């Protein structure tokens, strides 16, 4: 604990910089230099590269970026710097197994490898998306009832008893506690009361995070997010989340949402920033595991070529150089009741499973709307399990992903996106079953995927 | 290519390359060569800015290049625009509007806001970027101080969006609503939500935000 307080103190005493200096002169320029120094490049037709030297170079460049820069504290405008020994020690401390949840629903995360034959754990929900209170409980149950789903990820409540929730306001406390009540009740109603939960999606400020640190809400065996801001930044609110977890004991998930096409530039630079973010988050977020969630600067979705390449190369870089528990996010552009959602989910699940990660999502429609369902979560899990069990290679996976991109990439050119329909229009919320049209679409796509090479997928 | 075209090309290229030093030097060289400042603005700076914006939209360049071009453009415009303002010439393509931009209080997400700020700068607007988690009164105070044409604010978090509605409400309550155009943005903002907030508009992306800002500026200035 004292050790972390010393790191917090650096945020008050480190070198002073304006945020513009940090962004442009430090992050952007240093990353650009490292991309040139390590001769990093990518090929948009090779989303899943088998190139150990490239993965190692990305890792080395990320370590150098972390050593050169440290982390910027937005509130104090000072840099939290680390020496190489501290960063190395942080890597050595990364847990290799991590148990979450309770009883028969308990799950143990493990470090996955490249082309690992062990199925990934499946963490599902429309992460952080606004979910109407009137069907929040049903929302939880349509995910929790899927046997392939191991862990739950909540959506956000924007109203409680009809009253508006505002970030940082008193109602955020009510929203976070209500959300966790729904999560626990929903899991219990489908007979899985001990399911681990990533709590709480409504905790958009530290206030909400502190509000649920009680066994009735977020149990010590659950996980919560300690986000890192773009790029390589923290603020007092997010540092407070880590402090809150020190004595309480909940699992800390680092979440740096590196912007691909942002300050790191193209995909290689963004991968370098992502590696540095994880390396530094071991120390500033007190990470127990990492959530890999690069976002596309224009399209947001993780299912773009560039973002999937970053997810793959970052996963491979850590698997080869500093094995740790990594959970890679799937945020498709499309929403429920669209074929593209299923194609995007499948492509992203193949990439992440082959690249040493567990799976989290899918947060349909960019996670910006309740246009989601349990069906795409089922598909994500089934694809992840099939990829592992049939011992798919990177090359085989790449071929399928390229074929899937041809089926969905057009949606990125649509100004209106491809939002699909909300949960209450694609599921019967009394029976908790998909409407026939959505079920048929899923079955057809599963059939297509089997023909494409995912023969390990169960026949619906 | 004659001398004037060559000088304009070099100025354009300096902006595209994001070189502040070169854009200033090329702007000065062009003025000394007697090129009409309005031509400099339209065919040197604005064309360069438009090309950068299009390249970003097509994924050919990325945020650092966009930011550097914005800085280069701003530096050159500081030299060129006073000459035009003095002469009050018609046919000016470039805008000299002022925008105060911020991520609204309680929200710390700034990718979209930074992108719009960079694109507005690159399009010739004077942009005062107040950062993230900015209280309403700070935004309104800054807009009043710099006599802004437009207040642009964003919220990614659904639960931070109500504060943008409050911003419009405070402007109305204090009699300042007619003084500023208000743009709102964020992943979950739709035109219907913008209308419900009584804002003057929203856009799907940064390019759309520039078009909207230009439209609002024309409306404001009649």
């Amino acid at each position: 604990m004292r050790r972390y307080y010393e790191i917090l103190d650096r945020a008050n005493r480190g070198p002073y910089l304006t945020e513009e200096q940090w962004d442009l002169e430090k992050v952007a320029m240093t990353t650009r230099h490292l991309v040139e120094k390590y001769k990093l490049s990518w090929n948009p037709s090779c989303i899943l590269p088998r190139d150990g030297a490239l993965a190692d170079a990305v890792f080395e460049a990320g370590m150098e970026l972390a050593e050169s820069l440290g982390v910027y504290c937005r509130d104090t405008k000072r840099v939290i710097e680390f020496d190489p020994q501290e960063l190395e020690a942080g890597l050595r401390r990364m847990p290799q197994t991590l148990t979450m949840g309770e009883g028969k629903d308990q799950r143990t995360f493990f470090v996955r490898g490249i082309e690992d034959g062990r199925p990934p754990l499946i963490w599902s929900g429309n992460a952080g998306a606004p979910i109407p209170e009137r069907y929040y409980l049903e929302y939880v149950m349509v995910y929790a009832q899927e046997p392939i789903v191991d862990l739950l990820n909540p959506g956000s409540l924007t109203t409680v008893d009809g009253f508006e929730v505002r970030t940082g306001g008193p109602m955020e406390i009510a929203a976070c506690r209500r959300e966790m009540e729904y999560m626990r009740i929903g899991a219990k109603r489908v007979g899985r009361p001990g399911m681990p939960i990533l709590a709480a999606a409504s905790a958009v400020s530290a206030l909400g995070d502190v509000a649920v640190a009680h066994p009735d809400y977020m149990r010590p065996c659950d996980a919560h997010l300690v986000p890192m801001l773009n790029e390589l930044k923290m603020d007092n609110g997010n540092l407070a989340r880590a402090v809150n977890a020190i004595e309480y004991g909940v699992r800390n998930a680092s979440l740096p949402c590196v912007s691909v096409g942002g300050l790191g530039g193209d995909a290689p630079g963004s991968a370098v920033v992502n590696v540095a973010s994880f390396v530094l988050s071991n120390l500033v977020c007190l990470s127990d595991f990492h959530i890999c969630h690069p976002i596309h600067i224009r399209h947001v979705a993780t299912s773009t070529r560039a973002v999937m390449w970053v997810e793959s190369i970052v996963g491979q870089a850590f698997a080869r150089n500093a094995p740790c528990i990594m959970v890679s996010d799937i945020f498709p552009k499309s929403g429920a009741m669209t074929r593209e959602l299923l194609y995007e989910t499948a492509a992203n699940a193949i990439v992440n499973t082959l690249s040493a990660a567990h799976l989290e999502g899918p947060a349909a429609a960019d996670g910006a709307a309740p246009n989601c369902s349990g069906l795409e979560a089922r598909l994500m899990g089934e694809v992840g399990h099939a990829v592992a069990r049939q011992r798919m290679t990177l090359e085989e996976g790449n071929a399928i992903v390229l074929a899937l991109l041809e089926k969905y990439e057009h949606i990125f050119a649509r100004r209106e996106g491809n939002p699909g329909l909300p949960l209450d229009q694609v599921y019967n919320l009394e029976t908790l079953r998909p409407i026939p049209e959505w079920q048929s679409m899923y079955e057809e796509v599963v059939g297509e995927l089997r023909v494409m090479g995912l023969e390990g997928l169960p026949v619906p | 290519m004659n001398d004037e075209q060559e000088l304009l090309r070099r100025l354009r290229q300096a902006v595209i390359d994001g070189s502040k030093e070169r854009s200033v030097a090329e702007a000065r060289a062009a003025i000394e060569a007697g090129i009409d400042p309005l031509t400099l603005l339209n065919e040197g700076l604005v064309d360069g800015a438009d090309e950068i914006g299009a390249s970003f939209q097509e994924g050919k360049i990325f945020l650092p290049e966009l930011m550097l071009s914005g800085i280069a453009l701003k530096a050159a415009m500081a030299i060129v625009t006073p000459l035009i303002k003095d002469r009050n010439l018609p046919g000016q393509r470039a805008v000299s509007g002022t925008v105060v931009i911020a991520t609204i209080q309680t929200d710390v997400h700034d990718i979209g806001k930074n992108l719009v700020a960079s694109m507005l700068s690159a399009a010739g607007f004077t942009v005062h970027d107040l950062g993230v988690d900015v209280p309403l009164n700070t935004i309104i105070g800054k807009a009043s101080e710099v006599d802004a044409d437009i207040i642009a604010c964003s919220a990614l978090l659904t639960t931070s969006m109500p504060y943008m509605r409050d911003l419009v409400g405070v402007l109305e309550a204090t009699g300042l609503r007619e003084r500023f155009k208000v743009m709102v943005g964020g992943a979950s903002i739709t035109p219907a939500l913008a209308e419900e907030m009584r804002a003057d508009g929203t856009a799907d992306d940064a390019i759309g935000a520039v078009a909207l800002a230009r439209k609002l500026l024309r409306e404001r200035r009649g």
Side-chain angles (χ1 to χ4, degrees):
Chain A
M1 190 187 306
R2 187 177 166 77
R3 165 108 190 94
Y4 191 64
Y5 296 163
E6 195 275 318
I7 288 172
L8 293 179
D9 194 47
R10 295 182 203 183
N12 299 320
R13 300 173 192 278
Y16 181 92
L17 285 177
T18 66
E19 197 162 350
E20 188 178 334
Q21 284 175 308
W22 177 259
D23 288 345
L24 208 49
E25 294 172 23
K26 294 292 182 181
V27 178
M29 292 304 129
T30 311
T31 305
R32 182 182 282 193
H33 162 72
L34 290 169
V35 168
E36 287 171 8
K37 177 180 171 182
Y38 288 90
K39 299 181 173 55
L40 304 177
S41 63
W42 77 295
N43 173 1
S45 295
C46 186
I47 309 298
L48 283 158
R50 183 184 296 283
D51 188 342
L54 175 65
D56 294 347
V58 166
F59 186 82
E60 206 174 325
M63 283 296 288
E64 190 169 335
L65 184 65
E67 285 173 26
S68 309
L69 300 192
V71 176
Y72 184 75
C73 179
R74 198 179 240 169
D75 288 301
T76 62
K77 301 193 184 307
R78 291 183 183 274
V79 182
I80 306 169
E81 295 180 311
F82 296 99
D83 63 42
Q85 292 73 30
E86 289 176 300
L87 298 177
E88 293 285 352
L91 292 177
R92 284 195 299 274
R93 280 199 300 269
M94 292 188 299
Q96 302 297 291
T97 60
L98 200 59
T99 299
M100 294 189 214
E102 298 174 297
K104 67 179 176 58
D105 305 312
Q106 192 174 72
R107 294 291 184 274
T108 298
F109 275 95
F110 55 94
V111 175
R112 297 191 75 244
I114 301 164
E115 297 173 323
D116 200 321
R118 294 168 296 171
L121 289 180
I122 306 302
W123 205 327
S124 280
N126 207 31
I131 306 292
E133 191 183 7
R134 69 178 187 279
Y135 59 74
Y136 197 97
L137 184 59
E138 289 82 359
Y139 155 81
V140 177
M141 291 164 71
V142 300
Y143 288 95
Q145 71 179 356
E146 295 291 339
I148 204 162
V149 171
D150 298 296
L151 308 94
L152 291 174
N153 201 333
S156 297
L157 279 169
T158 56
T159 60
V160 172
D161 295 336
F163 291 95
E164 188 173 72
V165 178
R166 292 175 172 226
T167 309
M171 287 298 285
E172 186 178 331
I173 297 173
C176 289
R177 291 182 174 169
R178 181 68 59 87
E179 172 193 315
M180 293 309 296
E181 284 170 352
Y182 281 134
M183 297 300 293
R184 302 289 294 278
I185 294 168
K188 195 172 178 180
R189 283 200 186 169
V190 300
R192 306 176 73 184
M195 283 184 93
I197 299 167
L198 187 61
S202 303
V204 287
S205 80
L207 183 66
D209 209 50
V210 174
V212 293
H214 183 282
D216 286 348
Y217 305 110
M218 174 176 72
R219 301 157 297 187
C221 63
D222 287 321
H224 74 149
L225 298 172
V226 185
M228 187 178 269
L229 306 170
N230 299 87
E231 302 293 358
L232 302 173
K233 292 177 197 169
M234 291 295 281
D235 61 10
N236 283 338
N238 285 315
L239 292 166
R241 292 177 196 259
V243 172
N244 183 42
I246 290 174
E247 287 165 330
Y248 188 62
V250 65
R251 297 9 177 160
N252 294 334
S254 79
L255 178 66
C257 293
V258 172
S259 172
V260 178
L263 294 174
D266 202 358
S270 303
V272 171
V273 174
N274 208 326
V275 168
S277 301
F278 284 158
V279 170
L280 289 160
S281 73
N282 286 327
L283 301 166
V284 294
C285 303
L286 295 175
S287 314
D288 292 304
F289 64 103
H290 299 295
I291 295 187
C292 189
H293 187 167
I295 57 170
H296 193 279
I297 191 165
R298 284 179 293 117
H299 304 308
V300 182
T302 59
S303 53
T304 66
R305 287 175 194 256
V307 174
M308 289 195 293
W309 183 87
V310 171
E311 286 188 313
S312 177
I313 206 69
V314 170
Q316 294 192 47
F318 274 87
R320 291 173 58 88
N321 294 277
C324 60
I325 296 167
M326 193 172 295
V327 181
S328 287
D329 268 359
I330 297 179
F331 271 54
K333 189 81 193 163
S334 305
M337 199 61 215
T338 69
R339 294 181 91 85
E340 289 89 349
L341 170 60
L342 303 174
Y343 296 140
E344 289 179 76
T345 298
N348 225 153
I350 292 169
V351 169
N352 297 355
T353 304
L354 287 169
S355 306
H358 298 274
L359 304 182
E360 200 275 332
D366 286 333
N371 299 4
C372 58
S373 79
L375 210 47
E376 67 270 16
R378 185 191 305 170
L379 182 72
M380 179 182 83
E382 289 173 342
V383 170
H385 283 220
V387 165
R389 291 205 169 114
Q390 71 185 66
R391 301 309 299 258
M392 186 178 284
T393 65
L394 292 168
E395 291 78 10
E396 290 166 346
N398 195 63
I400 299 174
V401 169
L402 292 181
L404 287 167
L405 275 160
E406 282 190 21
K407 290 174 178 285
Y408 72 75
E409 216 169 11
H410 60 275
I411 51 120
F412 297 122
R414 292 186 190 165
R415 290 184 76 85
E416 71 281 13
N418 192 32
L421 296 173
L423 175 63
D424 61 344
Q425 292 183 37
V426 299
Y427 261 56
N428 177 331
L429 293 183
E430 288 184 8
T431 62
L432 301 181
R433 293 287 173 263
I435 60 171
E437 296 90 334
W438 185 215
Q439 176 71 30
S440 298
M441 200 181 282
Y442 157 81
E443 290 174 9
E444 287 164 18
V445 171
V446 168
E448 285 180 61
L449 292 169
R450 285 172 57 82
V451 171
M452 292 168 87
L454 273 160
E455 58 267 12
L457 274 181
V459 179
Chain B
M1 188 181 284
N2 62 33
D3 287 351
E4 179 173 322
Q5 283 176 328
E6 173 59 16
L7 284 165
L8 287 170
R9 186 197 65 77
R10 281 163 45 182
L11 178 57
R12 222 167 21 240
Q13 196 58 48
V15 171
I16 291 167
D17 292 344
S19 169
K20 180 180 171 184
E21 293 73 23
R22 272 174 46 219
S23 71
V24 166
E26 297 296 350
R28 287 197 174 121
I31 291 165
E32 281 172 22
I35 299 178
D36 188 303
L38 193 60
T39 305
L40 266 183
L41 198 63
N42 287 342
E43 295 175 32
L45 298 174
V46 178
D47 281 358
D50 285 350
E51 193 171 330
I52 274 287
S55 294
F56 179 80
Q57 200 63 14
E58 291 164 17
K60 293 177 181 167
I61 62 159
F62 304 98
L63 186 58
E65 290 82 7
L66 193 65
M67 292 169 76
L68 288 169
S69 285
I71 291 168
L73 182 80
K74 196 172 172 182
M77 284 189 72
I79 296 166
V80 176
T81 46
L83 302 174
I84 296 169
K85 280 178 184 164
D86 288 349
R87 290 162 52 189
N88 196 25
L89 289 169
Q92 187 178 332
R93 272 179 64 207
V95 288
S96 49
T98 300
V99 179
V100 167
I101 190 167
T103 302
I104 205 77
Q105 69 184 55
T106 71
D107 201 334
V108 295
H109 296 88
D110 64 355
I111 296 174
K113 184 267 295 173
N114 289 347
L115 201 51
V116 170
S118 296
M119 290 289 257
L120 287 170
S121 291
F125 283 84
T126 300
V127 177
H128 297 272
D129 185 347
L130 305 186
V132 299
D133 189 11
V134 185
L136 309 185
N137 288 332
T138 304
I139 297 172
I140 295 169
K142 186 67 179 180
S144 300
E145 177 198 327
V146 301
D147 195 20
D149 298 289
I150 296 168
I151 293 174
C153 52
S154 74
L156 175 74
L157 302 170
T158 315
T159 47
S160 291
M161 279 166 28
Y163 296 110
M164 298 204 289
R165 191 174 63 225
D166 289 356
L167 176 84
V168 177
V170 172
L171 288 172
E172 290 169 346
T174 53
L176 292 170
R177 183 64 185 90
E178 296 307 312
R179 195 167 154 189
F180 309 109
K181 293 289 184 182
V182 178
M183 293 166 54
V184 292
S188 302
I189 295 286
T190 61
L193 271 174
E195 196 177 334
E196 186 212 311
M197 291 175 183
R198 299 187 299 283
D200 295 300
T202 185
D204 291 334
D205 54 29
I207 293 274
V210 171
L212 174 63
R214 283 174 170 158
K215 173 176 163 279
L216 294 178
L217 192 66
R218 281 195 300 274
E219 286 175 13
R220 184 171 186 269
R221 295 185 173 177

